[in-house]
Amino acid sequence: MDFKPVDESLFTTAKCITRYPETILSRHDVPYRSALTFNAGVLKKDGKYIMIFRNDIGDYDKQILEGTNLGLAYSDDGIHFKVEPEPCFAMKDDEIMRVYDPRITYIDDEYCMCFAVDTRHGVCGGMAVTKDLKSFEIKSISVPENRNMVLFPEKINGNYIRLERPMPVYSRDGNIFDIWLSESPDLVYWGKSRLVLATEDVPYCNDKIGPGAPPIKTDKGWLIIFHSVDIDPSRGKNGWEKAWKKRYVIGIALLDLNDPSKVIGMSKRPLIVPEGYYELEEGYRTNALFPCGMLLEDDRTVRIYYSAGDAIVRMASANLDDLLALCTEPRK
Ligand code: BMA
């Protein structure tokens, strides 16, 4: 596989981003077995914050992982979360090995959770609805290989819309995966699939991209957040893995309000890149930021919940107008 180096000078965090200095969630906050708490969907509803997070069970210090379930946490301020006594969701049978990476949307008076499903025959994208965050009804599980699904918070032209990230391996060399969109009348049957954002259109990517959190509707368009990966074969061991050649950064773009398969703006540089001890040096896989939550805190402030090192949940905020400007204007 050819390696196309990325331009390192692009990799700075945008000036409009303010990181919350403390960790939002770690294994120490979880009242059941937990080694890694990350990739958390976060929603604000009626002034309360709801988080569903991936909980990898095991022993952090011994670097042992034994399985995955999803945990539920509530907060009054979006910063201090209290984890419920038991995990809220898991799937495991002869075919399904685990579910992970939840994203949550509130639509039609219920919560819809999108998640990845590892099966013995490939990775699928799953969707389930719930009214009480306790009992979930599975609506659909895609064919492999697909994941990183996020559902828009409202129907567009009569259909539910999701972003997703299929993983085609025959057409291009390497793991070059793009962001797609599909429509559904009922959350069960999905179609009208089309490409939204291609990897080669992201100037700081040489590997794959994937949708992050449910989009935010603005008067300029749908604001989307995504992860973008670049590979450098000279990177060596870090985190728990023998060799980790990737860096995951966070990007943003703007989609057309009526036809969200059309990209109408995109920041040409990453929004957030790994910085500081917990993002660069600590964790299961260091150098990896992965956003699964984004919400409007008030009319003009956006909060972004992202994982660092596949180990903890962190949060950063920015002014909405600054984010929209990054998508539509060259960065100073
Ligand atoms: C992706 C998924 C995520 C993970 C990310 C960074 O491919 O496996 O669950 O957070 O890699 O390691």
Side-chain angles (χ1 to χ4, degrees):
M1 179 191 140
D2 283 344
F3 160 62
K4 287 191 216 121
V6 287
D7 176 357
E8 275 305 317
S9 72
L10 296 176
F11 286 79
T12 56
T13 295
K15 287 203 181 71
C16 64
I17 287 289
T18 305
R19 282 173 160 88
Y20 187 73
E22 311 290 332
T23 292
I24 298 290
L25 192 85
S26 80
R27 63 191 180 283
H28 306 295
D29 302 311
V30 180
Y32 40 87
R33 288 195 69 215
S34 175
L36 308 169
T37 54
F38 62 116
N39 296 359
V42 184
L43 194 75
K44 189 177 180 190
K45 191 179 167 291
D46 303 331
K48 274 224 161 208
Y49 298 78
I50 297 154
M51 174 192 282
I52 301 184
F53 60 92
R54 168 173 171 178
N55 179 53
D56 280 8
I57 306 157
D59 188 314
Y60 187 87
D61 298 319
K62 293 189 182 135
Q63 301 196 347
I64 296 168
L65 293 179
E66 292 160 10
T68 300
N69 53 33
L70 303 185
L72 173 64
Y74 291 103
S75 168
D76 291 327
D77 60 7
I79 291 179
H80 305 93
F81 281 87
K82 186 160 182 358
V83 179
E84 292 289 284
E86 301 290 337
C88 69
F89 193 77
M91 285 173 84
K92 198 170 176 6
D93 58 26
D94 289 347
E95 177 59 21
I96 294 177
M97 293 169 315
R98 61 170 183 170
V99 301
Y100 55 102
D101 294 0
R103 278 82 165 190
I104 30 174
T105 300
Y106 194 78
I107 188 165
D108 294 346
D109 304 322
E110 56 188 6
Y111 303 93
C112 181
M113 180 173 75
C114 300
F115 47 92
V117 189
D118 279 356
T119 79
R120 300 208 183 275
H121 296 86
V123 181
C124 307
M127 298 178 91
V129 294
T130 176
K131 284 199 189 297
D132 57 7
L133 297 162
K134 290 183 183 129
S135 66
F136 291 79
E137 179 198 345
I138 306 289
K139 284 287 185 181
S140 59
I141 294 188
S142 74
V143 290
E145 302 272 343
N146 201 342
R147 68 175 167 199
N148 297 313
M149 285 174 180
V150 300
L151 182 68
F152 281 64
E154 60 184 68
K155 290 180 180 173
I156 300 173
N157 302 318
N159 279 338
Y160 296 96
I161 309 282
R162 75 182 181 199
L163 297 175
E164 58 201 324
R165 209 286 304 283
M167 295 179 270
V169 291
Y170 285 115
S171 47
R172 286 182 286 175
D173 201 12
N175 290 345
I176 311 294
F177 306 145
D178 316 290
I179 296 177
W180 285 64
L181 168 153
S182 294
E183 302 189 20
S184 171
D186 55 7
L187 295 176
V188 177
Y189 297 97
W190 290 90
K192 287 192 174 178
S193 302
R194 47 213 196 268
L195 180 66
V196 176
L197 183 63
T199 308
E200 63 270 22
D201 297 329
V202 179
Y204 49 90
C205 179
N206 69 7
D207 189 48
K208 59 184 175 179
I209 52 175
I216 291 179
K217 192 178 194 181
T218 76
D219 51 4
K220 301 267 183 333
W222 290 101
L223 179 68
I224 66 159
I225 194 157
F226 57 90
H227 65 264
S228 166
V229 182
D230 71 276
I231 292 190
D232 178 346
S234 72
R235 290 186 189 129
K237 170 167 172 57
N238 63 42
W240 298 14
E241 296 202 302
K242 283 199 187 77
W244 178 238
K245 312 280 177 201
K246 297 178 190 171
R247 166 175 50 189
Y248 278 65
V249 302
I250 298 175
I252 46 165
L254 207 54
L255 307 181
D256 185 87
L257 282 177
N258 285 315
D259 179 0
S261 67
K262 280 195 197 139
V263 178
I264 55 174
M266 186 190 63
S267 173
K268 304 288 185 294
R269 297 172 60 167
L271 180 70
I272 311 180
V273 304
E275 276 168 23
Y277 180 75
Y278 287 104
E279 298 181 2
L280 286 168
E281 284 171 55
E282 180 67 56
Y284 171 71
R285 286 171 168 170
T286 61
N287 224 6
L289 305 185
F290 202 83
C292 290
M294 178 170 72
L295 53 86
L296 256 188
E297 172 56 15
D298 50 51
D299 262 7
R300 305 262 49 104
T301 313
V302 174
R303 282 186 174 179
I304 296 160
Y305 293 84
Y306 64 97
S307 307
D310 282 357
I312 55 172
V313 179
R314 293 174 63 86
M315 195 270 285
S317 56
N319 178 279
L320 176 61
D321 295 325
D322 291 340
L323 295 178
L324 295 175
L326 287 179
C327 291
T328 50
E329 295 162 11
R331 184 131 138 215
K332 292 167 204 97

